[in-house]
Amino acid sequence: MLYFAYASNLSKKYMSSRCPHAIPLKKVRLKGYKLTFNELADIVPKEGEEVVGGLYLISKQELEKLDILEGHPDLYERIIVEVEDDGGNLYEAFVYSMVDKKEQAPPDSYYNILKDGYEDWEIDKERLEKARRFE
């Protein structure tokens, strides 16, 4: 199964502690969505925006584990999206999106895990910083 990570699971070390057999594949973008924070990271539909993240290959067992860790279905719902790599190739993947939408700043410790993930995948941190400022 393909999983699009845009938050703490971008950190390869963090993701490995949760799903040791997950295989990081490539950096991809989700068009038509914007990164925001509701204490934890979230994505919301927004025309003209995109969320850059990482694409992982995970097993059904790891999906079940992630569902529990991500609080599915009460905190995060799982949705199917289409992501695109730098070569224009499209992939269908699942992603977690928060059920209740509101804006709330993330704790520094959580934000630092996201920054590590952005470095792991060589993603420009500008959108991450804008999301933290709710821009």
Side-chain angles (χ1 to χ4, degrees), residues 7 12 40 104:
K12 292 178 181 176
L40 302 173
Q104 185 176 348

Side-chain angles (χ1 to χ4, degrees), residues 37-116:
F37 285 100
N38 180 1
E39 186 173 9
L40 302 173
D42 191 17
I43 55 172
V44 293
K46 178 79 173 179
E47 190 67 36
E49 294 283 341
E50 66 181 20
V51 178
V52 180
L55 191 63
Y56 284 96
L57 180 63
I58 67 168
S59 68
K60 186 176 189 303
Q61 292 80 13
E62 288 173 318
L63 171 63
E64 292 168 358
K65 185 176 182 182
L66 271 182
D67 278 350
I68 293 166
L69 294 169
E70 298 293 335
H72 172 71
D74 300 320
L75 180 61
Y76 281 94
E77 63 182 335
R78 188 172 5 113
I79 59 174
I80 302 296
V81 295
E82 186 176 76
V83 294
E84 183 178 345
D85 67 16
D86 289 339
N89 299 302
L90 301 175
Y91 305 89
E92 191 172 90
F94 77 88
V95 66
Y96 292 100
S97 176
M98 293 191 98
V99 174
D100 295 324
K101 304 289 187 186
K102 59 184 175 191
E103 291 184 340
Q104 185 176 348
D108 288 341
S109 58
Y110 175 77
Y111 186 78
N112 288 335
I113 294 171
L114 271 71
K115 285 190 341 188
D116 289 345

Side-chain angles (χ1 to χ4, degrees), residues 2-4 23-26 28 53-57 83 91 93 121:
L2 294 177
Y3 165 53
F4 174 64
I23 301 169
L25 299 175
K26 57 177 60 183
V28 293
L55 191 63
Y56 284 96
L57 180 63
V83 294
Y91 305 89
W121 291 88

